[in-house]
């Protein structure tokens, strides 16, 4: 095990502190009893902290509806992106066919197009085909912007893959489907789960494009928060953020306990 | 009829013929090596037998049955890959059990057969380990166990020892031979290492540029190489240009005794002699005088280079506990007439 010197220890602490500081601030502000984004008063512990803004969230059913909506949207689109990316990555990595490089570029192109541009484009497209405000089309638009992340990670998992391992399984009597299920898929699993998580987070977090393509029935949580914040700045935003941080932390903890995060994201320990 | 037969087998990639019109019969229980330099088509031949490469022409018969177009997962052959190709996400026992699982063997029998196989390759203690926790030699034995547990009619080995260090490679040669003999599995091994091929095979097949140029028992192959390529590829060989005169070799004007050959008087020929068949003796007492130009100590042998009027000759002497003369010393060389031969196919 490599030991850190005092200087590098200080440097790492500062970096971690810089990353975490805003999250700590927002979590503290969430407990304020005031009507403004202010820090709770530490000197009066019991009167200084309040749960009123957390209570306020649940008095806004539109927020909880948006939360469930975002959760469903991110889960669906991340899963569809994985279902599309794995076969695409296998084809791009292993087959020689005309247009292979173009296909790769096409799949990755959403990364370089600004979400604002995509938002306007989708708005126009959905209006043309009469799909404005439809949830399936919202999912489709999210799939398009998150697929590059999954494809990249699955392609990375496939590079350096020893094909003779699959040949070995084949000669031991496994059919092509079994080879994929028992050998290929488990071996690229870190790429698949990592890609799914990254896609999920990107979809859950997406604001710029979603502003254009959501309807009042399909408003996502980031869009709801943005709309709320443009009208009034009150500590409820901080409370929603604190809840999201807590949920993410719990999800990560559960994942780690159940499967081991380093195992599903990095591969065998 | 041979147990495994290759008939006029060819494989063409574009305008490059990797394997050309190859014929081979392997008997049941036999250990055959395909020996040749890289790019000679030996691995492609193995892949065609395994079903991993499709032959352009020809047929493959296993026990009289045509398997040329059978899928690799239906052939039931055991294969050990150069990289071992173990399943990294499965334990040693799971790796070995995989083939049995695919055959629908029930759990109890599976466990018993895996256990017996791990015992055979001496890895019983490692059953629960993962491939990454094993050494190179252990991984290779897992790969052999995984291929053999399905009781394949033929075991195919692709450069099985090339990833091991020199000492381990020697140990594994004997280990491989022991395992093969105790199961009696017909085995075909691909290798570019002549000593590996000679030491463990019943027969060696030499391949050059997609063709099989000699098929012989190791000793016979070494003693009677069919052409110039084989004589220098398998072991070391001294080669001297000369003529046949009066039943003897005349090289650079010097008459030297040689093995009889059916050549007419005065025919130009290449004569060959193995370094270990030449004896070193005091100057003036051998067939030809010379001077030592270099000497290398290899532990069990001394490898010397001796400059003579007939040319420079490599001489290999067993180390018998006494230092041979130093470079610059005058010596003479001696050999039995049968050691100097006319090269075939030359």
């Amino acid at each position: 095990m490599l030991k850190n010197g005092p200087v590098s220890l200080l440097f790492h602490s500062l970096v971690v502190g810089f990353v975490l500081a805003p999250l700590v601030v927002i979590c503290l502000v969430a407990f304020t009893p005031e009507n403004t984004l202010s820090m709770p008063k530490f000197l009066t512990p019991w009167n200084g902290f309040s749960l009123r803004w957390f209570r306020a969230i649940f008095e806004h059913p539109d927020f909880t509806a948006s939360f469930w909506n975002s959760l469903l949207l991110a889960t669906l689109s991340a899963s569809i992106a994985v279902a599309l990316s794995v076969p695409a990555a296998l084809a791009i990595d292993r087959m020689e066919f005309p247009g292979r490089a173009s296909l790769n570029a096409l799949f990755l192109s959403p990364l370089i197009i600004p979400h604002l541009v995509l938002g306007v484009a989708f708005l126009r497209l959905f209006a043309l085909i009469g799909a404005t405000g439809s949830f399936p089309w919202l999912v489709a638009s999210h799939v398009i912007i998150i697929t590059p992340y999954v494809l990249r990670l699955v392609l990375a998992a496939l590079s350096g893959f020893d094909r003779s391992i699959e040949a070995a399984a084949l000669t031991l009597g496994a059919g092509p489907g079994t080879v994929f299920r028992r050998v290929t898929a488990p071996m690229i699993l870190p790429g698949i789960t990592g890609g799914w998580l990254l896609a999920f987070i990107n979809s859950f977090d997406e604001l710029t494009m979603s502003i254009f393509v959501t309807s009042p029935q399909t408003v996502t949580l980031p869009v709801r928060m943005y709309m709320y914040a443009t009208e009034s700045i009150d500590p409820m935003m901080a409370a929603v953020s604190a809840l999201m941080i807590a949920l993410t932390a719990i999800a990560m903890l559960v994942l780690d306990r159940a499967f081991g995060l380093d195992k599903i994201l990095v591969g065998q320990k | 009829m041979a147990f495994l037969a290759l008939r006029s087998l060819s494989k063409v990639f574009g305008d490059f013929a990797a394997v050309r019109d190859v014929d081979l019969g392997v008997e049941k229980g036999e250990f055959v090596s395909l020996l040749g330099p890289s790019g000679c088509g030996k691995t492609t031949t193995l892949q065609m037998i395994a079903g991993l490469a499709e032959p352009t022409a020809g047929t493959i018969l296993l026990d009289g049955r045509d398997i040329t177009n059978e899928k690799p997962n239906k052939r039931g052959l055991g294969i050990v890959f150069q990289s071992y190709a173990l399943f990294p996400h499965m334990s040693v026992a799971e790796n070995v059990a995989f083939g049995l699982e695919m055959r629908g063997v029930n759990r109890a029998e599976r466990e018993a057969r895996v256990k017996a196989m791990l015992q055979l390759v001496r890895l019983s203690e490692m059953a629960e380990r993962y491939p990454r926790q094993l050494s190179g030699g252990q991984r290779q034995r897992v790969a052999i166990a995984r291929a053999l547990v399905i009781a394949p009619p033929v075991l195919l080995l692709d450069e099985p020892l090339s990833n091991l260090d020199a000492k381990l490679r020697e140990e594994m040669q004997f280990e491989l031979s022991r395992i093969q003999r105790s199961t009696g599995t017909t085995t075909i091994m691909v290798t570019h290492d002549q000593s590996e091929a000679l030491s463990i095979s019943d027969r060696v097949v030499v391949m050059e540029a997609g063709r099989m140029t000699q098929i012989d028992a190791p000793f016979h192959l070494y003693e009677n190489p069919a052409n110039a390529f084989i004589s220098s590829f398998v072991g070391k060989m001294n080669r001297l240009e000369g003529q046949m005169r009066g039943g003897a070799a005349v090289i650079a004007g010097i008459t030297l005794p040689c093995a009889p050959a059916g050549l007419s008087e005065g025919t130009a020929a290449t004569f060959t002699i193995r370094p270990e068949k030449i004896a070193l003796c005091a100057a003036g007492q051998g067939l030809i005088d010379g001077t030592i130009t270099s000497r290398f100590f290899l532990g069990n042998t001394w490898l010397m280079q001796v400059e003579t009027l007939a040319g420079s000759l490599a001489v290999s002497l067993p180390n018998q506990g006494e230092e041979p003369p130093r470079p610059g010393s005058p010596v003479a060389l001696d050999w039995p007439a049968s050691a100097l031969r006319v090269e075939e196919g030359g």
Side-chain angles (χ1 to χ4, degrees), chain A residues 162 164-176 178 182-183 186-187 268-269, chain B residues 52 72-73 77 79 81 83 85-90 98-99 101-103 132 146 150:
Chain A
D162 181 3
S164 61
I165 296 177
E166 290 171 320
L170 198 65
T171 57
L172 285 166
T178 313
R182 293 290 307 275
V183 177
M187 283 179 68
Q268 305 290 332
K269 54 184 166 179
Chain B
L52 298 170
N73 51 334
L77 307 184
I79 299 161
F81 292 84
S83 64
L86 299 178
F87 308 129
H89 56 293
M90 295 185 200
F98 189 84
E101 213 181 308
M102 291 303 120
R103 281 162 177 70
R132 63 178 179 278
R146 184 179 66 178
I150 57 174

Side-chain angles (χ1 to χ4, degrees), chain A residues 93 155-163:
Chain A
D93 186 69
L155 275 174
L158 281 173
S159 76
F161 190 103
D162 181 3
R163 297 292 306 274

Side-chain angles (χ1 to χ4, degrees), chain A residues 68-228:
Chain A
W68 290 115
N69 191 39
S70 272
L71 194 68
L72 181 66
L73 171 65
T75 309
L76 271 179
S77 34
S79 306
I80 294 172
V82 164
L84 289 176
S85 295
V86 173
L90 283 169
I92 290 168
D93 186 69
R94 300 179 164 185
M95 289 156 118
E96 285 292 336
F97 53 91
R100 179 169 155 269
S102 326
L103 193 69
N104 192 13
L106 177 75
F107 272 118
L108 297 178
S109 62
L111 274 184
I112 51 164
I113 300 172
H115 286 191
L116 190 70
V117 174
L118 280 173
V120 176
F122 279 126
L123 181 68
R124 205 52 217 123
L125 177 72
F126 292 172
L128 273 174
I129 59 174
T132 314
S134 107
F135 187 71
W137 284 98
L138 177 64
V139 173
S141 65
H142 272 230
V143 168
I144 287 169
I145 57 166
I146 62 179
T147 294
Y149 297 99
V150 192
L151 191 70
R152 276 287 95 179
L153 263 72
V154 177
L155 275 174
L158 281 173
S159 76
F161 190 103
D162 181 3
R163 297 292 306 274
S164 61
I165 296 177
E166 290 171 320
L170 198 65
T171 57
L172 285 166
T178 313
V179 172
F180 180 78
R181 198 166 42 81
R182 293 290 307 275
V183 177
T184 318
M187 283 179 68
I188 60 171
L189 190 65
I192 295 175
T193 45
W196 189 90
L197 257 176
L198 208 58
F200 178 90
I201 291 165
N202 266 286
S203 165
F204 197 83
D205 197 39
E206 212 292 323
L207 171 67
T208 323
M209 185 195 73
S210 301
I211 290 175
F212 292 92
V213 289
T214 51
S215 68
Q217 291 80 42
T218 60
V219 168
T220 61
L221 192 57
V223 175
R224 177 75 65 199
M225 287 170 75
Y226 174 75
M227 294 193 311
Y228 189 86

